[in-house]
Amino acid sequence: DAGVIQSPRHEVTEMGQEVTLRCKPISGHNSLFWYRQTMMRGLELLIYFNNNVPIDDSGMPEDRFSAKMPNASFSTLKIQPSEPRDSAVYFCASGLQGIGNTIYFGEGSWLTVV
Amino acid sequence: GQQLNQSPQSMFIQEGEDVSMNCTSSSIFNTWLWYKQEPGEGPVLLIALYKAGELTSNGRLTAQFGITRKDSFLNISASIPSDVGIYFCAGRGGTGKLIFGQGTTLQVKP
């Protein structure tokens, strides 16, 4: 079975450009998470969805960040405009809502903003 | 907000030694998860704990869900070089939110 699929794996972009990261969760999962990982701050939860509905976006840094989940098999994280401090690894993870269920991670999107 | 305190921050041990790391929280969790992350990869699930007091093993790994539901530990017995990586604890609450500890970096000297 395919795991969580993220794209692009690597992206280098110039400051001010729009960045869109994509995620395809594991089929059948109804929870989806976006995390950002940096050396300084570790793994930070940005936003998570249950049944395509955003439940908690308190971790989203600022208005430049937005996330959508138009259907159960696709989500995007967008940064507009991007800044050098956005450089990080962005992980998508999915799982089943409820007690007794685990969360599985994609391989991450490595973003560098120059 | 919820925070997980994971310790130690890093460990440098000799091959064959046992390792222990733990996480504590001010909040109660319904699920504790332990992940390992290697360079260039996403976190990979090692052990999942769903009940207070639960003790679960996966090969040389053993983890326990604290009875207060506010802590968990992970032990690795007879460490080997391929155990090198960053180990994360993660707690999941009733809303489904999953938050992570700061990670324990493990280095094993052959």
Side-chain angles (χ1 to χ4, degrees), chain A residues 9 33 35 37 43 45 48 50 56 91 96 100-103 105-107 110, chain B residues 30-31 33 35 37 40-43 45 48 50 88 92 95-98 100:
Chain A
R9 279 281 275 151
F33 304 76
Y35 289 87
Q37 186 175 36
L43 270 164
L45 177 63
Y48 76 102
N50 283 342
D56 186 338
F91 287 104
L96 287 170
N101 294 299
T102 55
I103 309 298
F105 279 74
E107 294 190 323
W110 298 68
Chain B
N30 296 325
T31 302
L33 306 173
Y35 290 85
Q37 186 178 26
E41 304 293 333
L45 183 68
Y50 303 118
F88 290 97
R92 195 173 190 193
T95 62
K97 186 173 183 177
L98 183 70
F100 281 77

Side-chain angles (χ1 to χ4, degrees), chain A residues 4-66:
Chain A
V4 176
I5 299 173
Q6 292 186 244
S7 65
R9 279 281 275 151
H10 296 88
E11 178 152 349
V12 180
T13 190
E14 289 186 344
M15 182 174 63
Q17 295 297 306
E18 178 179 292
V19 173
T20 299
L21 307 178
R22 298 173 177 81
C23 176
K24 177 178 168 53
I26 293 172
S27 178
H29 283 182
N30 57 5
S31 291
L32 184 140
F33 304 76
W34 282 101
Y35 289 87
R36 177 173 67 178
Q37 186 175 36
T38 60
M39 288 290 291
M40 292 298 295
R41 301 175 69 93
L43 270 164
E44 301 174 276
L45 177 63
L46 301 178
I47 185 172
Y48 76 102
F49 298 82
N50 283 342
N51 297 311
N52 313 337
V53 176
I55 302 300
D56 186 338
D57 64 355
S58 59
M60 295 286 263
E62 49 199 89
D63 292 345
R64 297 184 298 106
F65 285 68
S66 62

Side-chain angles (χ1 to χ4, degrees), chain B residues 9-51:
Chain B
Q9 193 171 29
S10 62
M11 302 181 74
F12 189 87
I13 62 170
Q14 195 77 33
E15 182 177 1
E17 291 183 356
D18 296 343
V19 173
S20 184
M21 57 193 79
N22 67 83
C23 270
T24 60
S25 171
S26 57
S27 304
I28 289 174
F29 290 109
N30 296 325
T31 302
W32 281 95
L33 306 173
W34 284 92
Y35 290 85
K36 178 186 178 186
Q37 186 178 26
E38 298 186 18
E41 304 293 333
V44 174
L45 183 68
L46 297 175
I47 289 183
L49 302 159
Y50 303 118
K51 289 171 53 178

